[in-house]
Amino acid sequence: MIKVSPPRFSKVIIALLFVFYLTPVLSQDIPTDAAVIAQGESLFNANCKTCHRVHQKLVGPALENVYNRAPSIDWIKSFIRNSSAVIASGDEYAVKLYNDYGKTQMTAFTGLKDDQIMAILAYIQDETKKGPPVAAAPPAADGGGGQQGVPTPYLNAILIGMVIILILLVVILGFLVSALKRFLDQKSLSEEDREVVHSPITLGTITRSPGFAFVVVFIVGSLGFKAVINGLYSVGIQQGYAPKQPIAFSHKLHAGAYEIDCKYCHVGTLKGKSATIPSVNICMNCHSAVKTESPQIQKLWAAADWQPETKTYGPNQKPIEWVRIHNLPDLAYFNHAQHVVVGGIECQTCHGPVETMDVVKQYSLLTMGWCIDCHRKTDVNSKGNAYYDKLVELHNAAGKKPMKVEDNGGLECAKCHY
Ligand code: HEC
Ligand code: HEC
Ligand code: HEC
Ligand code: HEC
Ligand code: HEC
Ligand code: HEC
């Protein structure tokens, strides 16, 4: 029988406590609640995802396991709130990290509360445990939206079919004519009629007949008419327009490969009418340190008047002269926030798969018909929007189908025209 004497017992407890202290207890403080993890995920996506991934190095380090390698949870909290203060204090770990990442300044998140940071860590811990995701198959390119009309292969098939039918018709008519001739020959015809029946069909007789003249005029007339209509319909339409830009900025790289959120750069889409093109300092959040040797990035530095030695902006900043691609005429009013925030419509519905484009092009027609068509087809996104509760209730009481944008005035001239 093992007997533990009281003094030995307390030593065991002390030893146990010591072991507990040494093993990284850090991660045990991190919540594992599903709700907290979900909150952490949205905080992470909104604030950190532009520079960090859990399993992949981006502008900043991959954050998997960071709670075990960083000096402490408190260190992480102060680093997130104000990394430059931690670096300036001479903290060895922070200084090394800063140098390893090309002296890139992490944004200071002074507003993040303790429990919000813990939620972000909860999300990181959860993702760390899940391991890196298996690469998913790329989504099929969406052919809908802006593309209009019949695809060329179908058109060709239809044309070939029509030609075959025409040839068959000519052959059948030929048979009919000779059968008729034989039939008439058996009758007793006057000399005059016999001449008509046996008059030879030559190119000359065909081209001189009034029927032929009519067919030719008809074909030429309809082709000309179609060309004029097509021309009129395409006045002012710039679908497919993809001008060369002063800096070879690629959406395929930034929004595609690096998954930077569209709204990180086009902040205007959340606030109002214009989507806005990002100013140089948004680019400089990364490019003060990323790919600095590239001549394209040097152009960026010139525009920002960035002084790499002193890491400051000089006085001679000038905006980059991006060429505007989408442009409605002044008579029309279009508001991004109304569609993106209130309507909940994805950018890609109107702009196509921008994240696969090296050079952006105008994907949709941007005609009045295009706007109206969508307002006829699309349901109003009334979920969680108290503003619509009463309207939807009234609409449902009176009607049958879900409320479309057109039921809410989406076809009224004055909504879109000044
Ligand atoms: C503008 C880019 C940027 C953003 C946004 C950003 N970080 Fe960072 N982060 C960095 C860089 C770069 C480093 C490397 C250290 C340095 O250069 O200062 C870093 C380092 C860290 C570290 C230390 C990593 C380690 O290996 O010890 C943590 C933790 C961290 N970031 C968390 C966050 C969290 C959480 C957010 C969002 C709330 C966030 N970061 C947002 C760029 C960013
Ligand atoms: C890193 C910043 C950045 C991100 C992220 C980004 N864009 Fe852009 N976007 C730009 C810049 C800079 C331009 C102007 C240069 C050009 O046209 O390529 C632009 C141009 C555009 C244009 C054409 C504007 C015009 O002149 O009519 C559209 C449309 C667009 N972006 C949509 C998107 C969508 C959709 C996403 C997300 C899938 C996205 N952008 C993500 C920076 C960004
Ligand atoms: C969140 C970080 C981030 C932001 C913001 C960002 N970039 Fe980039 N950019 C990158 C990364 C990462 C690369 C790829 C570097 C590499 O290929 O190693 C890159 C590459 C580039 C390149 C290609 C350079 C070359 O020669 O290969 C250009 C040009 C560029 N960016 C322009 C811009 C412009 C203009 C903006 C602002 C509208 C911008 N970037 C904003 C991260 C960013
Ligand atoms: C319902 C269709 C629709 C949706 C959804 C939409 N856009 Fe647009 N976008 C347009 C139209 C139309 C224009 C032209 C506006 C004008 O000329 O006044 C435009 C113009 C732009 C421009 C260039 C001009 C400007 O307004 O600054 C950018 C950049 C842009 N969109 C980005 C985006 C991004 C990013 C998203 C998603 C967050 C988005 N758009 C969602 C229809 C849409
Ligand atoms: C992809 C579908 C789609 C396209 C394309 C589209 N819209 Fe809309 N639009 C919507 C939706 C959905 C709403 C309703 C948003 C809401 O709930 O208020 C809306 C609302 C509006 C409103 C506010 C209507 C109201 O009742 O107050 C205006 C104005 C508008 N759109 C203008 C335009 C213009 C101009 C264009 C073309 C340049 C356009 N839209 C193209 C889907 C679209
Ligand atoms: C959903 C938005 C929307 C509504 C509703 C709407 N329009 Fe338009 N309209 C547009 C847009 C966008 C254009 C510009 C299209 C273009 O340039 O091809 C336009 C163009 C026009 C033009 C052509 C102007 C020109 O110089 O080419 C006329 C005329 C017009 N609209 C009249 C009307 C009338 C009348 C109504 C009401 C019955 C109406 N619109 C309702 C969006 C709308």
Side-chain angles (χ1 to χ4, degrees), residues 328 332-335 337-346 349-350 364 366-368 370-375 378-382 385 387-388 403-412 414-417:
L328 290 176
Y333 171 82
F334 176 84
N335 187 313
Q338 176 108 49
H339 290 85
V340 174
V341 182
V342 187
I345 302 175
E346 294 291 327
T349 313
C350 298
S364 295
L366 258 57
T367 54
M368 177 163 145
W370 173 73
C371 314
I372 300 279
D373 201 37
C374 182
H375 285 187
T378 313
D379 293 348
V380 168
N381 171 26
S382 56
N385 188 343
Y387 177 80
Y388 280 128
M403 188 164 97
K404 307 269 182 221
V405 182
E406 70 172 330
D407 301 323
N408 189 27
L411 303 190
E412 279 166 29
K415 289 270 170 85
C416 304
H417 289 294

Side-chain angles (χ1 to χ4, degrees), residues 50 241 243-251 254-256 259-266 269 275-279 282-283 286-287 320 322-327 336 346-348 350-363 366:
T50 42
Y241 179 51
K244 190 173 184 303
Q245 299 289 353
I247 293 180
F249 172 80
S250 164
H251 279 80
H254 290 85
E259 293 178 38
I260 305 174
D261 187 7
C262 312
K263 292 165 201 128
Y264 174 74
C265 288
H266 300 293
T269 53
T276 65
I277 301 298
S279 62
I282 292 192
C283 315
C286 296
H287 285 295
I320 304 168
W322 302 110
V323 182
R324 180 158 184 151
I325 302 163
H326 298 74
N327 205 355
H336 269 94
E346 294 291 327
C347 316
Q348 284 80 355
C350 298
H351 292 297
V354 175
E355 67 284 356
T356 64
M357 300 177 193
D358 272 322
V359 180
V360 186
K361 67 162 196 250
Q362 181 178 322
Y363 175 83
L366 258 57

